[in-house]
Amino acid sequence: MKKILLLISFFLILSCIASANEIRRSFKGSVVDSATGLPLRDVTVSFYKASDTSLINFCFTTPNGNYNMELHVKDSILIIVSIMGYNDKLEKQKETNWDWTFDEKNIKLSKAPKQLKEITISGGFIRMKGDTIEINAARLKVLPNSDVSQMFKKIPGFEVSKNGTIKVNGGEVSKILVDGSDFFGSNPGLVSKNLKADMIDKVQVYDDKDESGNINPDNTKTLNLKLKKGKRISMFGDLIAGAGTTDRYESGVRINSFKNDRKLSVIANSNNINDQGFDFGFNNWHGGSWAQRSGSLSKYVYYSNKNADANSKGNINQKSDLAISYFNEYSKKRKLSLNFGCNQNKFTTLSKSSSENPINDTIKQLANNHQSVNGKAAEFSADMHFSKETDTVGNFGFGFNAAFNKYNNNASAIDKIYQNITLVNTANNASLKQTQQQTAGGYFSYWRRARKNRNQYLNVSIKSNINTNSINTYQFVTGKFSNFNFKNHNDIYGSEHLVQVTGALPIYKLFKIGSSIDGYVMNNTNDAMVLNAANISKQDFVQNYVGTIDSLSLNFYNSAQQFSTKLFGAINKKDQELNFGVTYLNLVLSNQNKTTNLGIVKNYHLFLPFITYGYWRRSFGFARITFEKAVDFPSFNHLMPIQNLTNPLSRLVGNPYLLPFEQWQFAGRFSKQNVGRFKNIWTGFTLNQSDNYLCYINSINQSGISYRTPTNLSGYFNENVNLDVRFKLTKKLDLGAWFSERYTITPELFNQQKNQGKNFAFNFNPKLLITGSDKLELDFGFAINYSDYQNNLNSAVNYKQWIPGCEGNLRLNLWKGSELNWDIDIYDKRAIPGVGKIIPITNLYVQQALDKDEKYNLKLTCYDILKQNITLVRTVNGSFVNIAENNQLQQFFMLSFIYKMKGKNSEGGGAAY
């Protein structure tokens, strides 16, 4: 604890030293119309250095026309007051060495179609256009050859992390469009690293919205980059090839072509260094909307097929990707996109874990598991999207998609179960799983709103999908009491269909009412045939399997039919909104076992009320609170008694009386920028409560085989709080801090008695951030992680754990064309019993240009220099304390060659960058 106090004191002292002798200049005033004298809202007040006209900061006027900004510079300052439709106003303040306040009441702006010629800085830096913020990229001072991510760092309110995540005013950017199209897929970082800053004319920022036109509760943003007319590149991209120690390699090529409204991209990548490669995503934006099922907690459950096996990666991966993306916008606002992608991953994982369960005061059960997994996953996908704007207030779109997935997983494990020190059961478990899936689907969407009222609209979405899934599972288990060798062949044929209609009508001024109706149907046929091996003592997956095991051979027919109606009302003003309503859900689950002629039909009727209030003003910030009810329905396997076919040591028994998992949630968030020295404040919280929490009754027989039966228990509670702040110390030095806290009460049954597990945890991560133009970036901070688990019936599983650490990243441009990037993480995990230790992980790369134009580059990567990369975790699952250790990608050194293709303007101009 003393160490923690010393660290906090260190940051406070450093803050005081850095803030000493700082000039504080306060600017405030009001802006009015020169003709009417009425206040003007959303006027941009921009502050520039007079010496080089580089932007310092900006703000917007409130609904009363007021503005307030505090700066910490002594240089001469240019102040530009601007708004669309009015002449700009220029003020100049001389250099000063003293704190003072500039206060000018009633700055008068006159209406004019053009900006005043005497303003030397042409055009305002930031404009409000409706609900969109538009930034004039030409006003940003960046170094030559800077990419878009480096340009973002120059815009107040923008943050770019070292992993490519982009935030605007505390909200994460979900996608970046290029001239209105999502050309590079769903990875914003890929766009920001591919485009050069001097290609961009305007940066537009707007909030993501739901089907009702309301701001997304997560406050995510979309950016649209408008290219300069002379910067539509004929072809550009890069190529990388590298080889290193321990047989590590990386290779990739990106070729992009921009010509008028046509965009074409070919991307290929292969590596075995756990690099994600390229996130294709390929959700090209056409103005349509996606149909969504109702009932989830503000996190839209997109229509998707759930039969795909998600376990397709390990701790060490060899990935290969290839993708082609085409987008074109034709006359009459017609948009067409075609995408094709294929990827393959060969993966391996080595892990070991220990789980301890104190059954009572004198007996405890210990389970040890050592597992080795290797596998291969491959996927092929293709899609087509077409959309057309029928006029300025309507559009329609349709599309098709198809995919083929293949997955193989070969695992071997040694399981040992003890009661006290007596070995109860031991098993050598070898398994092989082979999965093959084909899917095909399509969608149609139509959207239209009234010309004179944005609150009157109609949206229709239809989606349909069919799939086939073939699974072969081979298992060889040699136990203490018996051998079990079998093959399970499972064929699944399914389809899903979803129709959603949403509309709204204005009632009085800003008040509207609306309705959203959706119908959802899913059908699955599941044929499982389980065969016993001819020679059960032979560990051979390809031997003959001739003996039918009738008790495990099943034929299921599952169907789900959901009908929901959402009635809502909304009051939408420019700076606040109130949404309220109720969703009625009717879900029918049918599970028919054709083998045993057993069937279950469950009919659920639920009402889910909700209310949301949001408020935002430039002077106040953004705030939102939500109170709602949501539900998670039982699956077919939860209801029908079945056995676990993939692990005979763990059986699942269904519960036909299981109730839906209903939750009440209260959530809120707040964000604010430029409060004194605070650059950004963001906080959010959620509270969840349920009286029918879905959990499991665990029981164990004398052979060590465990049985899990789902049930409902009352008393579930979950609370989360997050806080993120950024504090400006000097021009180049910021202090950031991230804090998160979680408290969860989880009900469970222990020896037929209701039990409560209480888990409290928090993370505190203060960090210093130093930015010296594009030459230097340094992030260094401490991480303090604390967890406390308490069980009211079983104190033997209780524990408290402190894990301190530090994290650092240095990015340095040593000279032209030379870049150094260094990461270091050190965590003290000695609190984890048995395996705990201090884990230092440091990575480094140096990149050097070989020519004047920086087309040819060499990159030296030193990964995990200390060879300590490993994962250690202690968690509680029910009445078990689990300690797991996993291997990770470890030390290698690699030399890579990078070639950057610098294309020419498609209009015949010079080099684009």
Side-chain angles (χ1 to χ4, degrees):
M1 194 65 185
K2 291 182 179 179
K3 293 182 180 180
I4 297 171
L5 294 175
L6 287 174
L7 293 177
I8 297 175
S9 301
F10 167 76
F11 275 101
L12 293 175
I13 293 171
L14 187 58
S15 172
C16 295
I17 295 173
S19 60
N21 300 320
E22 274 285 301
I23 301 300
R24 298 190 181 188
R25 301 166 73 177
S26 178
F27 298 84
K28 61 182 180 179
S30 60
V31 184
V32 299
D33 187 296
S34 62
T36 64
L38 296 176
L40 296 177
R41 67 182 296 169
D42 291 332
V43 177
T44 307
V45 184
S46 304
F47 301 85
Y48 299 87
K49 276 188 177 182
S51 58
D52 60 2
T53 67
S54 60
L55 178 73
I56 302 172
N57 211 332
F58 70 94
C59 63
F60 296 97
T61 58
T62 67
N64 295 323
N66 298 321
Y67 70 91
N68 194 342
M69 172 63 67
E70 183 176 291
L71 302 178
H72 302 277
V73 293
K74 65 178 182 178
D75 309 69
S76 296
I77 294 176
L78 296 177
I79 307 172
I80 292 186
V81 183
S82 59
I83 188 173
M84 290 290 290
Y86 288 81
N87 292 319
D88 290 350
K89 187 81 172 182
L90 174 65
E91 297 280 352
K92 186 173 182 178
Q93 295 297 321
K94 296 181 179 180
E95 179 181 346
T96 181
N97 292 315
W98 305 95
D99 295 352
W100 60 270
T101 298
F102 169 81
D103 190 353
E104 184 173 352
K105 301 292 185 183
N106 296 334
I107 298 175
K108 296 179 180 180
L109 297 184
S110 59
K111 289 188 176 180
K114 296 182 179 179
Q115 304 296 318
L116 293 176
K117 294 182 179 179
E118 62 266 27
I119 301 299
T120 56
I121 303 177
S122 59
F125 173 67
I126 294 184
R127 305 281 193 186
M128 287 293 298
K129 299 177 66 175
D131 57 357
T132 300
I133 298 176
E134 185 175 86
I135 301 159
N136 185 358
R139 297 286 356 113
L140 295 168
K141 300 291 184 179
V142 295
L143 293 179
N145 295 320
S146 295
D147 58 36
V148 168
S149 67
Q150 293 166 324
M151 180 188 71
F152 286 160
K153 295 177 182 179
K154 299 289 186 178
I155 305 176
F158 277 61
E159 295 182 42
V160 182
S161 68
K162 62 183 181 182
N163 61 5
T165 301
I166 303 167
K167 289 185 177 181
V168 179
N169 295 335
E172 187 169 333
V173 173
S174 61
K175 65 170 61 177
I176 297 181
L177 311 178
V178 179
D179 282 337
S181 66
D182 186 4
F183 177 57
F184 284 93
S186 60
N187 188 344
L190 188 60
V191 183
S192 62
K193 288 294 186 182
N194 268 268
L195 299 183
K196 291 298 179 181
D198 66 356
M199 297 170 60
I200 310 303
D201 180 33
K202 297 288 191 302
V203 179
Q204 295 176 331
V205 184
Y206 47 90
D207 296 299
D208 292 342
K209 297 183 178 181
D210 61 16
E211 78 280 1
S212 302
N214 300 313
I215 296 176
N216 190 316
D218 293 334
N219 194 32
T220 56
K221 314 283 185 180
T222 294
L223 303 183
N224 181 37
L225 304 180
K226 299 183 70 173
L227 300 179
K228 296 176 182 177
K229 290 185 178 180
K231 296 295 184 179
R232 298 180 185 272
I233 309 305
S234 58
M235 185 173 292
F236 64 100
D238 54 25
L239 178 148
I240 185 171
T245 60
T246 63
D247 298 324
R248 300 298 155 196
Y249 75 91
E250 65 175 342
S251 60
V253 59
R254 291 177 287 192
I255 302 176
N256 309 292
S257 173
F258 285 11
K259 187 174 183 179
N260 298 323
D261 293 317
R262 187 216 69 193
K263 303 178 182 69
L264 176 65
S265 177
V266 178
I267 302 177
N269 174 76
S270 181
N271 70 81
N272 62 356
I273 57 174
N274 283 7
D275 193 335
Q276 177 65 29
F278 307 113
D279 177 11
F280 303 120
F282 292 145
N283 295 318
N284 281 282
W285 186 80
H286 293 258
S289 64
W290 297 92
Q292 302 158 355
R293 291 183 65 187
S294 299
S296 63
L297 283 169
S298 291
K299 304 285 186 181
Y300 301 124
V301 180
Y302 288 95
Y303 163 84
S304 61
N305 184 282
K306 300 299 182 182
N307 291 325
D309 197 321
N311 185 20
S312 58
K313 63 181 182 180
N315 291 331
I316 299 178
N317 303 276
Q318 180 181 337
K319 298 181 179 180
S320 300
D321 308 284
L322 170 65
I324 301 174
S325 179
Y326 171 84
F327 178 89
N328 206 347
E329 183 171 353
Y330 303 91
S331 61
K332 299 180 181 180
K333 300 296 183 179
R334 294 175 298 170
K335 299 178 182 180
L336 173 68
S337 65
L338 301 170
N339 301 296
F340 168 79
C342 60
N343 61 73
Q344 176 180 280
N345 183 30
K346 297 179 180 179
F347 57 91
T348 61
T349 295
L350 296 174
S351 63
K352 57 183 178 181
S353 64
S354 176
S355 300
E356 185 175 317
N357 175 22
I359 298 176
N360 53 46
D361 293 338
T362 59
I363 299 176
K364 64 179 179 180
Q365 178 180 308
L366 182 67
N368 292 328
N369 174 271
H370 288 246
Q371 189 176 53
S372 173
V373 178
N374 63 81
K376 179 180 178 181
E379 178 182 9
F380 302 88
S381 62
D383 60 67
M384 182 279 290
H385 306 274
F386 175 83
S387 66
K388 179 182 179 181
E389 292 185 14
T390 55
D391 50 32
T392 58
V393 292
N395 65 62
F396 73 91
F398 62 86
F400 305 96
N401 62 276
F404 171 79
N405 303 288
K406 195 172 183 180
Y407 167 73
N408 292 296
N409 184 308
N410 195 333
S412 61
I414 300 176
D415 296 289
K416 294 183 178 182
I417 299 176
Y418 298 85
Q419 284 189 359
N420 294 337
I421 60 174
T422 303
L423 182 65
V424 176
N425 199 359
T426 182
N428 292 318
N429 192 334
S431 65
L432 174 65
K433 187 173 185 178
Q434 300 172 329
T435 300
Q436 183 171 299
Q437 182 185 39
Q438 299 85 29
T439 62
Y443 75 92
F444 171 83
S445 67
Y446 174 80
W447 177 84
R448 187 171 185 84
R449 67 170 176 85
R451 291 185 181 275
K452 296 183 178 180
N453 196 320
R454 301 178 64 90
N455 289 324
Q456 183 176 339
Y457 59 86
L458 175 67
N459 184 30
V460 179
S461 297
I462 303 172
K463 299 197 77 175
S464 186
N465 198 50
I466 59 174
N467 68 86
T468 62
N469 199 0
S470 179
I471 305 173
N472 284 322
T473 303
Y474 303 84
Q475 187 116 356
F476 180 83
V477 180
T478 302
K480 182 177 181 180
F481 301 100
S482 63
N483 294 338
F484 192 26
N485 200 357
F486 70 89
K487 172 186 177 181
N488 170 31
H489 180 74
N490 195 358
D491 287 324
I492 302 173
Y493 308 92
S495 64
E496 291 182 286
H497 312 279
L498 177 62
V499 179
Q500 185 180 62
V501 180
T502 303
L505 290 171
I507 299 300
Y508 178 72
K509 293 185 178 179
L510 301 174
F511 177 63
K512 68 178 178 181
I513 61 171
S515 175
S516 177
I517 301 172
D518 66 72
Y520 169 76
V521 176
M522 182 187 72
N523 297 290
N524 273 334
T525 299
N526 191 327
D527 293 317
M529 178 63 69
V530 183
L531 299 174
N532 197 13
N535 181 1
I536 62 174
S537 63
K538 182 180 181 182
Q539 185 174 351
D540 188 354
F541 294 133
V542 297
Q543 65 183 297
N544 293 326
Y545 296 84
V546 294
T548 302
I549 305 175
D550 294 330
S551 61
L552 296 180
S553 298
L554 305 172
N555 184 300
F556 283 106
Y557 175 76
N558 306 320
S559 69
Q561 300 176 9
Q562 176 181 304
F563 173 81
S564 69
T565 301
K566 175 182 176 182
L567 301 175
F568 63 88
I571 301 175
N572 292 80
K573 298 178 67 176
K574 191 170 184 179
D575 54 8
Q576 57 186 312
E577 64 181 23
L578 175 66
N579 298 279
F580 55 90
V582 63
T583 300
Y584 167 72
L585 282 179
N586 179 23
L587 177 67
V588 179
L589 290 179
S590 176
N591 196 351
Q592 184 70 34
N593 187 339
K594 295 182 178 180
T595 303
T596 60
N597 292 321
L598 295 176
I600 296 175
V601 178
K602 303 291 292 186
N603 196 338
Y604 302 103
H605 300 271
L606 292 173
F607 288 91
L608 308 176
F610 64 92
I611 183 170
T612 299
Y613 175 73
Y615 179 83
W616 57 94
R617 283 188 179 180
R618 302 298 173 187
S619 59
F620 172 80
F622 178 89
R624 175 184 293 274
I625 57 173
T626 301
F627 184 64
E628 61 183 331
K629 188 179 183 180
V631 63
D632 195 1
F633 290 105
S635 68
F636 301 120
N637 290 347
H638 286 141
L639 300 173
M640 183 69 80
I642 62 172
Q643 290 182 309
N644 189 337
L645 305 181
T646 60
N647 186 1
L649 297 179
S650 178
R651 311 283 174 87
L652 175 66
V653 179
N655 179 2
Y657 305 105
L658 198 64
L659 298 175
F661 178 20
E662 302 175 52
Q663 294 185 64
W664 288 97
Q665 183 185 77
F666 180 60
R669 66 175 309 277
F670 171 78
S671 65
K672 172 67 177 173
Q673 296 79 43
N674 300 322
V675 185
R677 284 184 172 271
F678 283 98
K679 296 180 65 174
N680 183 71
I681 303 174
W682 180 93
T683 183
F685 71 90
T686 59
L687 301 174
N688 293 72
Q689 186 274 332
S690 177
D691 286 327
N692 49 15
Y693 174 70
L694 175 61
C695 62
Y696 293 91
I697 302 173
N698 298 307
S699 57
I700 305 171
N701 65 10
Q702 292 298 321
S703 299
I705 296 177
S706 61
Y707 291 85
R708 304 172 70 237
T709 305
T711 189
N712 297 108
L713 291 177
S714 62
Y716 173 78
F717 178 79
N718 184 39
E719 169 260 324
N720 288 273
V721 175
N722 296 286
L723 174 65
D724 188 10
V725 297
R726 187 84 172 261
F727 185 75
K728 186 176 183 64
L729 299 177
T730 67
K731 178 183 175 181
K732 298 181 179 181
L733 180 62
D734 291 350
L735 175 63
W738 168 259
F739 175 81
S740 65
E741 176 268 335
R742 181 177 184 180
Y743 178 65
T744 305
I745 301 176
T746 305
E748 57 195 30
L749 288 178
F750 181 71
N751 292 338
Q752 305 304 314
Q753 289 183 285
K754 186 179 177 180
N755 179 43
Q756 285 188 337
K758 300 178 181 179
N759 190 22
F760 173 76
F762 74 81
N763 301 295
F764 179 57
N765 184 208
K767 182 177 293 187
L768 282 174
L769 304 99
I770 301 173
T771 303
S773 183
D774 290 317
K775 295 292 185 180
L776 170 68
E777 292 178 4
L778 173 63
D779 297 351
F780 180 78
F782 297 93
I784 302 169
N785 304 310
Y786 174 75
S787 56
D788 181 356
Y789 180 82
Q790 301 292 324
N791 194 299
N792 64 338
L793 285 182
N794 188 6
S795 60
V797 300
N798 296 347
Y799 73 89
K800 296 181 180 180
Q801 177 176 286
W802 288 89
I803 296 182
C806 62
E807 302 172 343
N809 171 254
L810 171 66
R811 177 179 174 265
L812 182 64
N813 288 339
L814 301 175
W815 51 81
K816 185 177 180 181
S818 178
E819 179 183 347
L820 168 70
N821 196 306
W822 179 33
D823 286 298
I824 183 167
D825 298 327
I826 303 175
Y827 281 94
D828 184 355
K829 295 192 175 183
R830 289 176 294 180
I832 301 177
V835 295
K837 61 180 181 178
I838 296 177
I839 304 178
I841 302 173
T842 181
N843 308 314
L844 172 72
Y845 79 75
V846 180
Q847 185 168 316
Q848 174 63 55
L850 301 179
D851 65 320
K852 180 179 179 181
D853 296 329
E854 301 183 20
K855 287 185 177 181
Y856 304 94
N857 298 264
L858 278 180
K859 179 181 178 182
L860 174 63
T861 302
C862 306
Y863 185 85
D864 189 21
I865 297 173
L866 303 177
K867 203 172 184 180
Q868 295 292 312
N869 197 12
I870 193 171
T871 299
L872 302 176
V873 179
R874 173 162 62 172
T875 58
V876 174
N877 181 16
S879 56
F880 285 85
V881 177
N882 304 316
I883 296 175
E885 179 179 347
N886 290 294
N887 73 315
Q888 298 291 323
L889 181 66
Q890 287 195 331
Q891 184 186 86
F892 68 84
F893 302 92
M894 179 180 294
L895 186 64
S896 303
F897 173 78
I898 302 172
Y899 170 69
K900 297 181 180 180
M901 294 175 284
K902 302 191 176 184
K904 296 183 178 181
N905 300 341
S906 60
E907 299 177 2
Y913 59 88

